[in-house]
Amino acid sequence: VGPWLPEPVADTEALSPHTHAELADDLSFALLLALDRLSPAERAAFLLHDVFDAPFSEVAETLEKSEAACRQLAARARKAVKDARPAPATPAGEHERLLTACAVAATSGDLAGLKALLAEHVVTLSDGGGVKAAALNPIFGADKTARFLFGIDRKFKPGSRTLQPMQINGAPGIAIYVDGELDSLATIAVEHGRIAALYIVRNPEKLAAF
């Protein structure tokens, strides 16, 4: 029901700074969503060849397709993955600053301040898994995203929510508690100093590890 988001990953604390930075790129919601949008054959060709270094002769045998077809499948997948990666990567400090500023503006009624943080083409995806309330379709644009976040804020009693910074998929994120219970996790994608995507996971099954 509604948009699908990958299950958040939290257990990255023991990684070295270099490995942590690589993981943040490889586990980004944008990249995982790009992989999910590929056809099964494209995803298989890309993972087998580009990730596991299998020669196209083996990929062709596995997928029961010609080598030329597998090369085309991997090429299309590679382009989709490349397009999903933010360039250049945003420093963690800037990422965290924008996320915190977004949360503060959204919970304080600062519409102008919130819209100033958002890219004009920003997209918001919320995954409730059909169990918790969430937007049934992606929300596009700075104005609609800001009003959506304000609408969420008005549904909660003042003082009932607590925001806790945490690492989600190797990048800064926020855990949102309502009356002491985990309600949702939120993280963002940043491009050129502004928030280009906002991801909100409310599906209880995907929050179980937290």
Side-chain angles (χ1 to χ4, degrees):
V1 177
W4 173 90
L5 287 174
E7 184 171 343
V9 177
D11 190 15
T12 61
E13 294 299 324
L15 297 175
S16 68
H18 177 68
T19 305
H20 197 289
E22 288 185 347
L23 182 67
D25 192 29
D26 292 340
L27 284 184
S28 71
F29 274 36
L31 176 59
L32 295 178
L33 284 167
L35 288 174
D36 184 67
R37 294 187 186 110
L38 299 175
S39 71
E42 289 172 337
R43 187 163 52 244
F46 171 74
L47 292 174
L48 288 171
H49 180 266
D50 287 43
V51 177
F52 295 111
D53 294 322
F56 277 115
S57 58
E58 291 184 13
V59 177
E61 183 178 354
T62 301
L63 299 184
E64 298 181 345
K65 297 179 181 293
S66 69
E67 286 191 38
C70 290
R71 290 180 187 277
Q72 286 295 320
L73 289 169
R76 288 199 298 267
R78 199 176 298 120
K79 181 180 185 304
V81 169
K82 181 180 178 181
D83 291 344
R85 291 180 182 274
T90 304
E94 177 68 3
H95 190 127
E96 188 172 1
R97 183 192 70 79
L98 285 168
L99 180 62
T100 301
C102 177
V104 170
T107 56
S108 64
D110 184 4
L111 180 62
L114 179 57
K115 290 174 66 174
L117 300 169
L118 305 174
E120 281 301 316
H121 62 279
V122 63
V123 59
T124 298
L125 301 175
S126 57
D127 180 351
V131 180
K132 284 192 174 182
L136 295 180
N137 296 292
I139 298 170
F140 295 99
D143 185 68
K144 290 184 178 179
T145 288
R147 296 186 186 281
F148 171 72
L149 294 177
F150 278 6
I152 293 176
D153 184 61
R154 287 194 292 267
K155 293 180 180 180
F156 294 97
K157 295 182 297 182
S160 64
R161 286 188 297 171
T162 303
L163 308 184
Q164 177 181 324
M166 68 181 309
Q167 291 290 309
I168 300 174
N169 288 52
I174 290 179
I176 303 167
Y177 292 84
V178 177
D179 295 327
E181 294 189 4
L182 182 61
D183 176 82
S184 53
L185 297 176
T187 187
I188 59 174
V190 179
E191 290 181 7
H192 308 299
R194 291 197 174 188
I195 297 172
L198 177 64
Y199 308 109
I200 304 171
V201 179
R202 300 197 72 210
N203 184 345
E205 293 182 359
K206 295 181 179 180
L207 300 180
F210 289 80

